Amino acid sequence: MKPDLGLLGLDAGTPLVGPRSIHIDVTNACNTNCVTCWDHSPHLDEPRSAAWKRQRVSVEQVERLLDDARSLSALEAVVISGMGDPFTHPEIYALIEAVKSRGLSLTIITNLIPADPERILALEVDQLLIGIHAASEEAYRAFHPSFRSDEWERLHAMLARFQAAGRRYKHVQVICRENAHELVGMIELAARYEAERVNFKLAGLKHGTEAVRITDEQRRRLVEDDVSRAWQLADRLGVRHNLEVFGEQLAAGGAATAPIEEIGCFMGYVYARILVDGTVLFCCNTDVVVGNLSEASFSQLWRGRAWQALRERMSQGDYFASCSQCGKLNQNVKLARRFEARFGRERYLQVTGQAGRRKLPVAP
């Protein structure tokens, strides 16, 4: 069996190889304004500037980054996204080719509306995380208030095209006030188009987007009824999901969406995110900055003092305030359980800085 060098590095306290996956933002532009979005929501206290929204990376920049990250001997997968939608980038299909030509698995995070499904199929994109955030047209338009044409119909047409081609992509459902009543319908939608799985996530909200936080009554109904009904339906229809982790998010209460102190953070050994302006993040959290590609190469930053200091901080359970809305919760739960299975409970508690008074959530 091939050794898991990512977990072995975590046990050693320093990475033995580079990240298994990197997440590259390719554009800040977007074709819509999701109400939960920290960059494009109509609820933002301070909207982003037009100049910021025009920022995007070049194909050449991405190619250099990929080759440098591959030199660290572990890179297997790339996620392409943006602070907007990657399919608004005028060279998105060349960017896809840059990833695929290097033999890397590719996932794209998108609302799908600006995409060409035929080119996605032709280029053999491995996975899409399709942000739907609704089960009805009414909720879809409430979540995407700028959509005023045939977007709902176009979304269904593309989902049907992928289904006909035998491509089972993932649905993403970020839950907020506008769609919290549609969990069961979201499972039905995933079954209808044979989605690979449906990932639920309680919206992390700030900068004014708190306006669409679920109400106390919605939270109560989700906890007491809707999650259970959706889970039971998923079992009957054969839909894979992460409702167990979503339940953990609901239980966190208040503004929190992730009990990260009871799980631990593993991202510093397996993952990194790079923003359009070259900012390198420890995880997907924009508060946890390692450095910038204008200062050093990715490989230099990965091996550098700043990244290691963050790894050590996380291993002591010393999280940032925004870690309570962890965007990598699913991945951390999976890695936590793998690490505990490999090294035992005592060592798991040591490397995550927790007292261990609580059982880990079931892995999705």
Side-chain angles (χ1 to χ4, degrees), residues 279-333:
T279 298
V280 178
L281 303 179
F282 182 84
C283 54
C284 63
N285 186 344
T286 54
D287 289 346
V288 192
V289 175
V290 175
N292 194 285
L293 295 180
S294 65
E295 306 162 351
S297 70
F298 179 84
S299 57
Q300 289 171 330
L301 291 170
W302 180 259
R303 299 186 181 105
R305 183 174 300 175
W307 215 315
Q308 184 60 21
L310 285 168
R311 293 184 187 104
E312 292 170 1
R313 172 175 173 171
M314 298 299 180
S315 72
Q316 297 167 12
D318 182 12
Y319 300 107
F320 290 72
S322 50
C323 293
S324 67
Q325 296 187 352
C326 176
K328 306 301 291 183
L329 182 63
N330 278 338
Q331 293 87 338
N332 274 319
V333 168

Side-chain angles (χ1 to χ4, degrees), residues 2-134:
K2 184 178 179 181
D4 189 329
L5 295 178
L7 292 187
L8 289 171
L10 180 63
D11 181 55
T14 188
L16 304 180
V17 290
R20 192 163 54 236
S21 66
I22 58 171
H23 183 151
I24 306 172
D25 281 16
V26 298
T27 181
N28 290 337
C30 198
N31 61 312
T32 189
N33 59 344
C34 298
V35 292
T36 61
C37 181
W38 297 353
D39 301 297
H40 299 276
S41 171
H43 298 294
L44 290 174
D45 297 326
E46 296 183 17
R48 294 285 196 176
S49 68
W52 181 88
K53 292 180 180 180
R54 287 194 295 268
Q55 292 180 354
R56 59 177 183 254
V57 300
S58 68
V59 176
E60 292 74 20
Q61 287 174 305
V62 170
E63 289 177 328
R64 286 197 298 272
L65 172 60
L66 292 173
D67 291 339
D68 185 30
R70 290 173 73 205
S71 73
L72 294 167
S73 304
L75 188 63
E76 298 174 353
V78 174
V79 177
I80 286 180
S81 74
M83 294 299 190
D85 193 284
F87 284 101
T88 65
H89 193 296
E91 295 183 286
I92 181 59
Y93 299 103
L95 290 167
I96 292 172
E97 289 176 347
V99 175
K100 295 297 295 179
S101 67
R102 287 164 171 77
L104 299 167
S105 176
L106 174 62
T107 296
I108 303 178
I109 302 174
T110 176
N111 62 59
L112 200 57
I113 299 302
D116 181 341
E118 300 306 325
R119 297 189 75 175
I120 290 172
L121 292 170
L123 289 167
E124 299 183 339
V125 173
D126 298 274
Q127 187 56 263
L128 296 177
L129 298 182
I130 304 170
I132 299 177
H133 318 308

Side-chain angles (χ1 to χ4, degrees), residues 259-275:
I260 192 64
E261 70 283 351
E262 297 166 357
I263 298 168
C265 178
F266 295 73
M267 291 299 102
Y269 294 82
V270 298
Y271 170 91
R273 183 178 181 184
I274 301 92
L275 304 184

